[in-house]
Structures are given as structure tokens and as C-alpha cells.
């Protein structure tokens, strides 16, 4: 196992192998985490689902994947990210296999809940990769590893095509095969991170007492929640409103997820050089502006796509900026802080599909659901400005 001295003096091979394979592993895990979104129309037809049931199915994996980021992040800090990552990938194989055998919506929902554990790969990846890089490079490094979010885009591009050509169940056999492959590669080529076995759960949970943990969680609720919920909702929006087929809608969802992901390391790198909170206030304003574009574009597909692209770029940049600050909140507890911030961010992806589905059923329109996104962005802007811009609080010195 690696020692603190190994990390401090740097094995370039260990560092970059950890970064590369953590990122690839997260891509594979996120493909499983978001598997229902690009297949939503087909699944709804197979199981006879209503709009409410469909949005519940999309949201369910996000729930467990969000809540469990806290204990999984703590376990990574205490026992090592390599061990936890391998165990996680073994567990994911169980619900993926279950999905190929279920015949009722209730059992499908249960399998969806379990496959949500794939979303905890974010906490493991950040905890594992962060220890190999010095402070001045962590914004960029964590931006790179968090590009594992691109698994959403890869799922949107590949899964509808596999389903159309090979059948629905083969989608899940494909996911199982690539999960096993990356698990074996991770086991062979990655070195375990340094850990502190004396660290207690109570000590790790002490990060909840840090007010900055909750401020970053609120901001990530908006930026990462927007990424997750819009990746899931875009195919439904395009299908229901504009009558676009599942494969084409998946391409648009992949575009959104790709843009949101690819700018993340750019945001993290920028946060290495400039004051992160100053950038975030403009990001929140841009998100609010493009959300207004979406809100009033349900009769114009080009305008809707413009709104999606704009929010994706802003949210992705914001994700990178926020995670530059995560290792600074509580030294030695990066996994725990990541767990909390990631959990709240994941819940930001859980609630919107449910709320949007409920509002659509009540009002017959998606617009009021988008209006809540505008309001959330403005609340985040106000809280950030009051505490970090006009106040004297600094997470990154």
C-alpha cells in the first residue's frame, strides 16, 4: 500500500494511473447509474408506465446513489479507495442482472434503487484520486476524475442503439461485461492510497459541523443536480414536446452531458488560479438566464437546445469550481466532505424529475417546473454573495 511519503514525493505512475482508471471506472459506473434515462420510452411501453411512474423510475437510482455517498466516502478515507471501488463494482453487477429478469414495475423499481449504488463511485473516485496530487494541482486533477460523469453521455449514446439492435436485456449484459473488465484492470494496475485506520466515523462526520460543507452542498445541489436531472429529463422533454425518437433524443442528452462534463476540469483549473467564489456568482446568474430561455422555448426546438447547451456549460464549469474547494474544508476528510457535498448534489438530481412530473400532471405544462430552477439559481447567488463576496469568509486562501 502507498505511504504518505510515496504520495508526497510522488510516484508519477501511481498518480496518473489512479487518475486515469478512477475516471474510466466512474464512466462505467455512471453508465449503469443513468441506464434508464435513454431507455425511458421503451421501458415505459414495456411496463405500461404513466408520466409519474416514469419520472419516479428515473429518480430512484439517484436517491440511493446520493445518500450512500456519505458512508462510502468515509469508508474510502478509512480503508482505501481501491478496495471500496472494487467492492462497489462487484455489488453493481447484482441489480444489473436483476433488471434482465424482472417482470413487474415494483421489482424494476427495487432493482433501480440498488443500481443507484453506482452513483457513489463519485465519492470513491474523488477520495482516491485526490491524495496523489499536491494542493496546487487538485482543482485540475479533481476536474479530470469527475469527468467520469461523462458516463451519462456515453449511456445516452450507446444504450438505445444496443437495445434497438441486440434487444433490451443485452444492454445489461453489456454493462455487466464492461464493469467486470474495468474492475480487473483497477485491481491489477492501481495502488492503494494511504489511509488512517485510527480515523473514526464520528471524526469523519464532524465535517457536518463545518458551515462551509453545507454551503458547498447547496451550490452543488444546483450545479450537479442540474446535470443529473437534465440528463435524465432531456430525452423525455424532446420526446413528449417535440416528438423526437429515442435515439435522436439520446444524442441530445449525450450532448448536454458531454458539455457539462468536458468543461468541468476547465472550471477546476480556472479555480486553481482565480478566486472560486467570484466565478460562481456569475455561473449562477448564467444558469438563471439560460433556464429562462428553456422555460419559454417549449414551442421552439432550436431555442430549447440553446437553453440546454447554455445551462450544461455553466453547470459543468460550476461543478469544477466547487470541487476545487472540497479538499480545503476539512484536511484528511476529503472523502467525507465529498460524500456530504455529493449526496446533496445527487438529491438535486433526485427531486427535480419528481417535481417536474408532478407539476406537469397538475398544470399540463413543464414550464413551472423550470421556473423553480430559475428560483434556485437566484437563491444560490444571494447566499453566495452574502457570505463569500460581501462577507469575509474564504474556503481557498
Amino acid at each position: 500500500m502507498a505511504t504518505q511519503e510515496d504520495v508526497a514525493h510522488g510516484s508519477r505512475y501511481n498518480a496518473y494511473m489512479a487518475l486515469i482508471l478512477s475516471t474510466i471506472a466512474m464512466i462505467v459506473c455512471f453508465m449503469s447509474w443513468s441506464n434508464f434515462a435513454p431507455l425511458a420510452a421503451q421501458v415505459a411501453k414495456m411496463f405500461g408506465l404513466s408520466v409519474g411512474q416514469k419520472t419516479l423510475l428515473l429518480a430512484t437510482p439517484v436517491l440511493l446513489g446520493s445518500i450512500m455517498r456519505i458512508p462510502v466516502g468515509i469508508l474510502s478515507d478509512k480503508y482505501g479507495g481501491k478496495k471500496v471501488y472494487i467492492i462497489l463494482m462487484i455489488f453493481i453487477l447484482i441489480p444489473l442482472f436483476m433488471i434482465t429478469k424482472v417482470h413487474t414495475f415494483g421489482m424494476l423499481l427495487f432493482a433501480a434503487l440498488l443500481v443507484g449504488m453506482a452513483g457513489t463511485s463519485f465519492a470513491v473516485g474523488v477520495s482516491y484520486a485526490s491524495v496523489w496530487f499536491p494542493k496546487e494541482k487538485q482543482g485540475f486533477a479533481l476536474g479530470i476524475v469527475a469527468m467520469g460523469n461523462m458516463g451519462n453521455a456515453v449511456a445516452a449514446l450507446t444504450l438505445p442503439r444496443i437495445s434497438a439492435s441486440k434487444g433490451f436485456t443485452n444492454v445489461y449484459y453489456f454493462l455487466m461485461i464492461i464493469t467486470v473488465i474495468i474492475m480487473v484492470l483497477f485491481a491489477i494496475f492501481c495502488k492503494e492510497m494511504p489511509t488512517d485506520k485510527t480515523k473514526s466515523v464520528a471524526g469523519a462526520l464532524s465535517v457536518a459541523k463545518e458551515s462551509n460543507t453545507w454551503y458547498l452542498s447547496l451550490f452543488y445541489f444546483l450545479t450537479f443536480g442540474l446535470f443529473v436531472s437534465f440528463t435524465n429529463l432531456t430525452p423525455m422533454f424532446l420526446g413528449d414536446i417535440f416528438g423526437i425518437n429515442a435515439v435522436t433524443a439520446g444524442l441530445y442528452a449525450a450532448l448536454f452531458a458531454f458539455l457539462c462534463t468536458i468543461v468541468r476540469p476547465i472550471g477546476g483549473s480556472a479555480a486553481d488560479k482565480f478566486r472560486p467564489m467570484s466565478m460562481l456568482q456569475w455561473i449562477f446568474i448564467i444558469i438563471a438566464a439560460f433556464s429562462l430561455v428553456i422555460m419559454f422555448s417549449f414551442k421552439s426546438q432550436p431555442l430549447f437546445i440553446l437553453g440546454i447547451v447554455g445551462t450544461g456549460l455553466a453547470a459543468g464549469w460550476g461543478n469544477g469550481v466547487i470541487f476545487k474547494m472540497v479538499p480545503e474544508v476539512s484536511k484528511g476528510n476529503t472523502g467525507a466532505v465529498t460524500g456530504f457535498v455529493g449526496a446533496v448534489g445527487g438529491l438535486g438530481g433526485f427531486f427535480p424529475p419528481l417535481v417536474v412530473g408532478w407539476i406537469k400532471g397538475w398544470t399540463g405544462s413543464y414550464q413551472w417546473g423550470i421556473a423553480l430552477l430559475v428560483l434556485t439559481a437566484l437563491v444560490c447567488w444571494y447566499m453566495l454573495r452574502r457570505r463569500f463576496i460581501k462577507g469575509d469568509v474564504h474556503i481557498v486562501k
Side-chain angles (χ1 to χ4, degrees), residues 30-193:
F30 267 58
M31 288 179 69
S32 293
W33 195 38
S34 62
N35 76 87
F36 290 114
L39 303 172
Q42 181 180 359
V43 173
K45 186 175 180 180
M46 289 170 60
F47 290 86
L49 306 183
S50 65
V51 172
Q53 288 175 316
K54 187 161 61 172
T55 54
L56 176 62
L57 180 65
L58 295 179
T60 296
V62 180
L63 178 63
L64 193 66
S66 302
I67 295 172
M68 290 302 293
R69 284 181 176 186
I70 297 172
V72 168
I74 293 171
L75 289 172
S76 296
D77 284 340
K78 185 174 177 63
Y79 297 108
K82 177 180 177 178
K83 296 184 191 72
V84 175
Y85 229 147
I86 291 171
I87 292 169
L88 174 63
M89 286 186 274
I90 292 171
F91 178 86
I92 292 168
L93 297 173
I94 299 170
L96 289 176
F97 181 73
M98 286 175 61
I99 295 170
T100 66
K101 304 299 179 183
V102 300
H103 299 288
T104 66
F105 177 62
M107 286 303 298
L108 183 66
L109 210 57
F110 179 65
L113 180 69
L114 295 183
V115 84
M117 280 298 293
T120 67
S121 59
F122 182 80
V124 188
V126 170
S127 172
Y128 178 64
S130 65
V131 302
W132 301 98
F133 292 88
K135 176 182 175 181
E136 64 272 14
K137 292 184 178 180
Q138 284 195 342
F140 177 73
L142 294 182
I144 292 292
V145 75
M147 286 180 68
N149 294 349
M150 196 179 295
N152 291 46
V154 177
L157 283 172
T158 59
L159 302 191
R161 284 178 165 76
I162 294 171
S163 183
S165 62
K166 303 295 183 181
F168 179 76
T169 56
N170 279 310
V171 169
Y172 297 92
Y173 292 129
F174 166 74
L175 290 172
M176 284 186 275
I177 290 168
I178 61 173
T179 300
V180 170
I181 291 171
I182 191 61
M183 179 176 64
V184 171
L185 292 175
F186 205 87
I188 293 172
F189 294 105
C190 285
K191 195 170 186 178
E192 185 58 280
M193 62 188 268

